[in-house]
């Protein structure tokens, strides 16, 4: 690597989380360099020593790729002024800086180089709070240099230095020397292997208990990514063994120790020991227990169900099917009940009937909810009764980023009836959070399509509730939706039954054959543009892709659509999350943001951009998003099938070609098709569709929720 010293002339770019920057540096030979660094951006006027190498960027030409960056202390009075100004301390402006310079004179240069510049607290004429902030900042800058050197000496980026200092202060290096895996506490982007690199640099033994514990917890914290609540102990040992390349006996001993101290929890079922993180164990066990408690209460009123059904049929001018009537009776006679069925089988009609029925009883405080905003909006439109998302119903605790809600076992919902739609999306943690907030006297009615994709997160609540045979349920299989969208409904059921959909007819279900990704992209762009011309709300047309990454993934499709429909012109734009966002872009929230009350899967449109904020119109609200929160926003001209779950769109465009490979699955195609209300446009090959129809993936998830409901655990 080459070493260069110079002055930052201009900051060209930095991303929203300040982990990547581009700046212009003038070296001591007056030559200018464009520098890139994967760390906190320097400030204009900073004197730097950088180490790295020259590279040739395909688009931007020669650049200096910075691997190590050190902010140099000044050697002149002028440099000291600039250095103090760049600290950007509130209340410490030009006049205050001059007071410091006048007090110390040339000695200020040496003061700024001291590790503990306590004399700065003696400067007269400055507010005490400003002097204390100045002292802490100067002391921190010195410590940052040491942290930078410590990380870089271990072969790691110094981009994490400031976070380390913020979290641990002057003790940061000692903390990491004591346990290098504390590095992972800083950011989810810091992997086990990165912390393990530091462990190696510190010459800590590879069988050290701290390493074993970190590997165990890393594997278990990823358990929900695969849909599991727990792992059999042998499977857990195997995964950790592969990560560490050995030490099976030591791993087993470490598991026993973590169980003893309560950092892990175990359950023995049929001779197999299952290992949980405490929060997942609590969600699974308590969710099952609370369900049993509500079921045990028994019905609270008598009601002429037969008479009500006759009146409802007359008022709605419909004739309910046998299964629909059974579902209504079941929900009114049992404290907890389930209704499952595919599209067009009358689930929403049943919900509407139940709302009317309960309104005629003393149990008339009704809460309708669904996992997504679009599903809640659709439920409101279908029933005429206001519905909300589950998150809004439970009221997330401000500043929380998990399943921490204001409505809980100590602050119950004020509702006699809770009806949950799109329940296939319920994971074990969200289900537990909901059940914990429901009074024991309430009725709980769970509605969903069990044949759709399983939820994101741990467990498969709807399937387990049904398969437990402990909860009364009705499976609807008669199709009632005959007037609108009939071909969509018929084809959805054909797919779900393992048969090829009818592709030869036009109308509400259209198939467009393509052979290459290039042809697919061309058709998608053209069709998307055409369909937008026929809707009032652009959010009513959605491209749904089987996968996110790759040349045919939703990310690539979104960027292609953006380039065609919303190219760069004289408009404001912002870069975040590896994407460029412009006014007019369709976007999706990909992580719950409880502070803004915007939740995973909500789609909106950017309607304005300012220096520090992006303004987005979502389905039911307008939100002002700080730039630092844009990392949880992505372009959404195309989204994945998983992200579309729980939502409904007027027109759905589905690319389905062989390169999607292992994602060509029956439940994925079925879920995508059932997102459409009026029109499905399937773009791809018959071979890819046939492969999906023939591929039924039985997704096994390690969970004992069903067994707990059955009283077997």
């Amino acid at each position: 690597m080459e070493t260069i010293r110079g002055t930052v002339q201009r900051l060209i770019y930095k991303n929203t989380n300040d982990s990547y920057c581009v700046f212009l540096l003038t070296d001591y030979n007056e030559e200018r360099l464009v520098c890139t660094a994967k760390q906190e951006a320097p400030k204009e006027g900073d004197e730097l020593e950088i180490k790295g190498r020259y590279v040739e960027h395909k688009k931007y030409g020669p650049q200096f790729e910075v691997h190590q960056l050190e902010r140099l202390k000044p050697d002149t009075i002028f440099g000291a002024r600039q250095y103090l100004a760049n600290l950007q301390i509130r209340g410490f402006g030009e006049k205050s800086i001059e007071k410091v310079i006048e007090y110390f004179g040339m000695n200020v240069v040496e003061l700024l180089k001291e590790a503990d510049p306590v004399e700065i607290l003696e400067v007269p004429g400055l507010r005490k709070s400003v002097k204390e902030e100045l002292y802490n900042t100067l002391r921190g800058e010195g410590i940052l240099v040491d942290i930078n050197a410590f990380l870089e000496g271990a072969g790691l980026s110094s981009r994490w230095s400031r976070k380390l200092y913020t979290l641990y202060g002057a003790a940061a290096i000692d903390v990491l020397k004591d346990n290098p895996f504390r590095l992972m506490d800083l950011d989810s982007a810091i992997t086990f292997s990165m912390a393990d690199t530091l462990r190696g640099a510190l010459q800590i033994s590879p069988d050290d208990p701290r390493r074993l514990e970190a590997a165990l917890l890393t594997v278990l914290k990823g358990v929900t990514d695969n849909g599991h609540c727990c792992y059999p102990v042998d499977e857990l040992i195997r995964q950790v063994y592969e990560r560490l390349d050995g030490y099976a006996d030591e791993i087993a001993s470490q598991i026993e120790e973590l169980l003893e101290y309560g950092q892990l929890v175990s359950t023995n079922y049929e001779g197999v020991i299952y290992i949980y993180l405490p929060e997942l164990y609590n969600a699974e066990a308590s969710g099952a227990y609370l369900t049993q408690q509500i079921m045990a209460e028994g019905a609270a009123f008598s009601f002429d169900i037969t008479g009500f059904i006759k009146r409802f049929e007359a008022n709605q001018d419909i004739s309910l099917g046998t299964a629909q009537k059974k579902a209504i009776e079941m929900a009114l006679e049992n404290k907890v009940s389930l209704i499952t069925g595919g599209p067009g089988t009358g689930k929403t009609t049943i919900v509407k009937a139940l709302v009317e029925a309960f309104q005629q009883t003393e149990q008339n405080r009704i809460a309708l909810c669904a996992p997504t905003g679009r599903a809640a909006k659709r439920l409101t439109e279908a029933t005429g009764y206001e519905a909300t998302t589950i998150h809004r119903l439970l009221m997330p605790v401000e500043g929380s980023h998990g399943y921490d809600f204001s409505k809980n076992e100590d602050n119950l919902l004020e509702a006699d009836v809770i009806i949950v739609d799109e329940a296939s999306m319920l994971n074990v943690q969200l289900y537990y959070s909901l059940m914990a907030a429901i009074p024991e006297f309430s009725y709980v009615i769970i509605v969903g399509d069990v044949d759709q994709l399983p939820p994101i997160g741990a467990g498969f609540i709807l399937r387990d509730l049904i398969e437990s045979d402990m909860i009364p349920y009705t499976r609807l299989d008669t199709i009632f939706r005959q007037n609108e969208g009939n071909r969509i409904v018929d084809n959805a059921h054909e797919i779900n039954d393992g048969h090829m959909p009818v592709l030869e007819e036009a109308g509400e279900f259209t198939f467009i054959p393509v052979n290459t990704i290039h042809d697919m992209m061309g058709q998608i762009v053209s069709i998307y543009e055409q369909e937008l011309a026929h809707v009032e709300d652009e959010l009513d047309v959605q491209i749904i892709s089987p996968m996110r990454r790759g040349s045919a993934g939703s990310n690539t499709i979104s960027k292609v659509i953006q380039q065609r429909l919303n190219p760069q012109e004289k408009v404001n734009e912002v870069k975040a999350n590896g994407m460029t966002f412009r006014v007019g872009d369709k976007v999706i929230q990909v992580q719950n943001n409880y502070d803004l009350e915007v939740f995973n899967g909500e789609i909106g449109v950017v309607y304005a951009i300012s220096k520090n904020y992006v303004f987005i119109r979502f389905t039911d609200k307008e939100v002002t998003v700080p730039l630092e929160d844009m990392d949880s926003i992505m372009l959404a001209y195309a989204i994945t099938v998983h992200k579309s779950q729980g939502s409904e769109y007027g027109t759905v465009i589905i690319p389905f070609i062989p390169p999607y490979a292992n994602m060509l699955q029956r439940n994925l195609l079925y879920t995508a098709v059932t997102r459409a209300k009026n029109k499905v446009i399937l773009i791809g090959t018959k071979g890819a569709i046939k492969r999906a129809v023939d591929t039924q993936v039985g997704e096994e998830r390690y969970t004992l929720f069903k067994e707990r409901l059955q009283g077997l655990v």
Side-chain angles (χ1 to χ4, degrees):
M1 290 194 296
E2 296 193 41
T3 300
I4 297 172
R5 289 191 171 197
T7 305
V8 177
Q9 297 297 317
R10 181 163 59 90
L11 181 62
I12 298 171
Y13 169 78
K14 71 172 182 177
N15 63 1
T16 52
N17 62 3
D18 212 1
S19 61
Y20 177 79
C21 61
V22 182
F23 57 91
L24 183 65
L25 184 90
T26 299
D27 69 14
Y28 291 167
N29 294 320
E30 297 299 319
E31 292 186 10
R32 291 189 167 193
L33 303 172
V34 174
C35 304
T36 65
K38 293 181 179 179
Q39 53 192 281
E40 181 183 11
K43 299 180 178 65
E44 293 180 5
D46 276 351
E47 297 285 326
L48 303 181
E49 179 178 279
I50 56 176
K51 295 180 181 180
R53 61 190 180 94
Y54 289 96
V55 297
E56 186 72 24
H57 192 281
K58 291 181 180 179
K59 183 176 181 180
Y60 299 112
Q63 296 180 342
F64 190 82
E65 188 178 81
V66 178
H67 290 261
Q68 297 179 21
L69 181 154
E70 180 181 346
R71 190 178 179 199
L72 299 174
K73 298 297 177 66
D75 292 319
T76 65
I77 290 286
F78 175 81
R81 282 194 180 91
Q82 185 66 51
Y83 185 88
L84 290 168
N86 279 351
L87 296 177
Q88 295 184 348
I89 295 171
R90 180 175 294 181
F92 187 64
E94 291 183 13
K95 292 182 180 179
S96 298
I97 291 172
E98 285 305 315
K99 290 178 181 178
V100 173
I101 299 296
E102 288 175 8
Y103 184 76
F104 289 106
M106 275 301 298
N107 291 334
V108 73
V109 172
E110 297 304 318
L111 176 74
L112 295 179
K113 295 178 181 179
E114 291 181 12
D116 189 11
V118 68
E119 294 95 334
I120 205 76
L121 296 172
E122 300 171 2
V123 178
L126 296 182
R127 293 200 309 272
K128 181 181 178 182
S129 60
V130 171
K131 286 192 286 189
E132 289 176 349
E133 178 71 13
L134 179 58
Y135 167 69
N136 290 330
T137 302
L138 289 173
R139 186 166 179 262
E141 290 295 315
I143 295 169
L144 278 172
V145 173
D146 295 336
I147 297 174
N148 288 344
F150 175 74
L151 292 177
E152 290 164 359
L156 297 173
S157 169
S158 59
R159 60 177 286 199
W160 310 109
S161 297
R162 192 166 294 278
K163 274 194 173 183
L164 267 169
Y165 176 70
T166 301
L167 187 60
Y168 299 122
I173 293 175
D174 290 336
V175 166
L176 294 185
K177 284 182 177 179
D178 178 67
N179 186 352
F181 297 97
R182 297 285 292 275
L183 186 67
M184 298 167 64
D185 297 340
L186 296 182
D187 196 288
S188 59
I190 299 177
T191 63
F192 173 83
S193 62
M194 292 167 64
D196 204 32
T197 297
L198 179 58
R199 188 271 315 162
L202 294 171
Q203 298 184 335
I204 296 174
S205 171
D207 63 351
D208 188 279
R210 292 166 292 186
R211 183 175 187 246
L212 301 179
E213 178 180 335
L216 274 164
L217 295 178
T218 297
V219 169
L220 280 171
K221 285 177 181 176
V223 67
T224 58
D225 295 338
N226 299 313
H228 306 303
C229 294
C230 54
Y231 276 137
V233 67
D234 289 346
E235 172 65 14
L236 176 59
I237 292 173
R238 183 191 68 79
Q239 290 200 30
V240 179
Y241 180 93
E242 290 180 354
R243 185 176 290 268
L244 299 180
D245 196 24
Y247 312 107
D249 291 341
E250 292 84 351
I251 294 166
S253 297
Q254 190 65 32
I255 290 173
E256 290 181 5
E257 184 173 330
L258 292 175
L259 287 169
E260 183 179 345
Y261 286 103
Q263 290 180 263
L264 300 178
V265 181
S266 67
T267 293
N268 189 325
Y269 176 66
E270 294 188 339
V272 178
I273 297 175
Y274 294 87
I275 306 296
Y276 295 78
L277 289 172
E279 60 268 25
L280 286 172
Y281 175 86
N282 182 55
E284 183 184 274
S286 298
Y289 172 76
L290 290 168
T291 305
Q292 294 168 333
Q293 290 296 104
I294 294 176
M295 288 172 57
E297 283 294 301
F301 61 85
S302 59
F303 186 69
D304 180 8
I305 299 174
T306 302
F308 167 77
I309 289 175
K310 288 180 180 179
R311 293 192 301 274
F312 181 79
E313 288 178 313
N315 293 337
Q316 299 294 320
D317 193 22
I318 60 174
S319 179
L320 295 173
T322 301
Q324 287 181 302
K325 293 178 182 178
K326 176 188 173 186
I328 294 170
E329 293 172 2
M330 175 194 67
L332 290 166
E333 292 175 347
N334 294 277
K335 295 302 296 295
V336 182
S337 58
L338 303 169
I339 301 165
T340 186
T345 56
K347 297 190 298 295
T348 304
T349 300
I350 293 171
V351 172
K352 185 174 183 178
L354 289 172
V355 169
E356 290 192 18
F358 278 109
Q359 285 178 318
Q360 296 174 24
T361 74
E362 293 180 357
Q363 308 291 112
N364 54 19
R365 296 180 301 171
I366 304 167
L368 292 184
C369 60
T372 68
R374 290 187 72 89
K377 181 181 179 183
R378 187 176 76 246
L379 197 56
T380 299
E381 293 170 348
T383 63
Y385 198 90
E386 185 177 358
T388 183
T389 64
I390 297 173
H391 282 84
R392 286 195 178 85
L393 180 68
L394 298 179
M395 300 170 58
V397 173
E398 186 175 351
S400 67
H401 298 283
Y403 295 90
D404 191 8
F405 297 99
S406 298
K407 291 295 182 180
N408 51 43
E409 57 271 22
D410 297 320
N411 183 25
L412 298 174
L413 293 166
E414 296 179 1
D416 302 310
V417 181
I418 292 89
I419 301 177
V420 188
D421 198 13
E422 294 289 351
S424 62
M425 298 181 68
L426 286 175
N427 64 43
V428 70
Q429 289 172 289
L430 186 57
Y431 179 78
Y432 161 63
S433 298
L434 178 61
M435 296 302 291
I438 295 176
E440 288 187 5
F441 59 75
S442 296
Y443 284 73
V444 180
I445 301 156
I446 299 171
V447 184
D449 184 351
V450 75
D451 294 318
Q452 288 187 22
L453 290 171
I456 295 172
F460 195 166
I461 290 296
L462 181 60
R463 182 194 64 188
D464 287 348
L465 285 169
I466 292 171
E467 291 184 357
S468 73
D469 281 329
M470 303 301 292
I471 315 294
Y473 75 91
T474 302
R475 184 182 289 273
L476 307 171
D477 49 25
T478 302
I479 301 173
F480 292 95
R481 194 190 299 172
Q482 295 296 330
N483 295 324
E484 56 173 305
N486 182 44
R487 176 52 59 197
I488 297 174
V489 173
D490 285 348
N491 273 344
H493 285 275
E494 290 293 332
I495 292 166
N496 198 39
D497 291 338
H499 305 139
M500 279 290 285
V502 176
L503 303 176
E504 288 71 28
E505 299 178 8
E508 68 264 10
F509 197 106
T510 303
F511 172 67
I512 299 175
V514 296
N515 293 314
T516 66
I517 292 177
H518 179 269
D519 291 344
M520 182 196 79
M521 287 294 186
Q523 288 285 1
I524 286 176
V525 172
S526 176
I527 291 168
Y528 184 78
E529 196 167 14
Q530 291 172 21
E531 293 301 319
L532 283 181
H534 298 108
V535 296
E536 294 182 3
D537 187 350
E538 59 193 296
L539 297 182
D540 212 29
V541 179
Q542 187 60 56
I543 302 165
I544 300 177
S545 165
M547 62 182 10
R548 180 164 66 92
R549 293 189 173 91
S551 56
S554 60
N555 284 358
T556 301
I557 296 172
S558 285
K559 289 177 181 179
V560 170
I561 295 285
Q562 182 195 49
Q563 186 176 356
R564 172 69 177 270
L565 301 186
N566 197 21
Q568 183 177 14
E569 295 176 350
K570 293 181 180 179
V571 297
N572 289 337
E573 64 179 32
V574 63
K575 298 182 187 296
N577 213 16
M579 297 181 176
T580 299
F581 299 96
R582 302 179 184 127
V583 173
D585 277 338
K586 182 190 286 189
V587 295
I588 183 170
Q589 180 80 20
V590 296
Q591 294 177 357
N592 291 334
N593 188 321
Y594 296 112
D595 295 334
L596 298 177
E597 291 193 4
V598 184
F599 304 109
N600 191 354
E602 293 196 52
I603 293 178
V605 175
V606 176
Y607 68 88
I609 295 174
S610 69
K611 183 178 179 180
N612 299 311
Y613 298 97
V614 177
F615 303 85
I616 302 175
R617 172 180 65 85
F618 288 98
T619 304
D620 56 351
K621 59 188 174 297
E622 293 182 353
V623 176
T624 302
V625 183
L627 292 185
E628 58 266 25
D629 286 342
M630 285 297 291
D631 280 350
S632 59
I633 300 283
M634 297 180 70
L635 291 174
Y637 295 104
I639 60 174
T640 63
V641 180
H642 278 94
K643 288 296 184 188
S644 74
Q645 200 168 356
S647 298
E648 186 178 70
Y649 310 92
T651 298
V652 167
I653 302 167
I654 309 170
F656 229 72
I657 56 177
Y660 290 127
N662 293 334
M663 298 303 292
L664 299 174
Q665 301 170 13
R666 184 188 300 176
N667 61 354
L668 191 143
L669 178 58
Y670 171 75
T671 302
V673 168
T674 56
R675 299 308 89 207
K677 182 179 180 181
N678 302 321
K679 186 186 293 187
V680 168
I681 303 171
L682 195 55
I683 302 172
T685 68
K686 290 184 178 180
I689 296 168
K690 180 69 164 60
R691 176 175 173 179
V693 167
D694 292 342
T695 304
Q696 188 170 18
V697 179
E699 186 169 346
E700 291 301 319
R701 296 189 167 199
Y702 291 121
T703 170
L704 296 175
F705 180 78
K706 177 178 71 175
E707 289 75 13
R708 294 184 193 281
L709 277 174
Q710 294 170 328
L712 300 176
V713 180

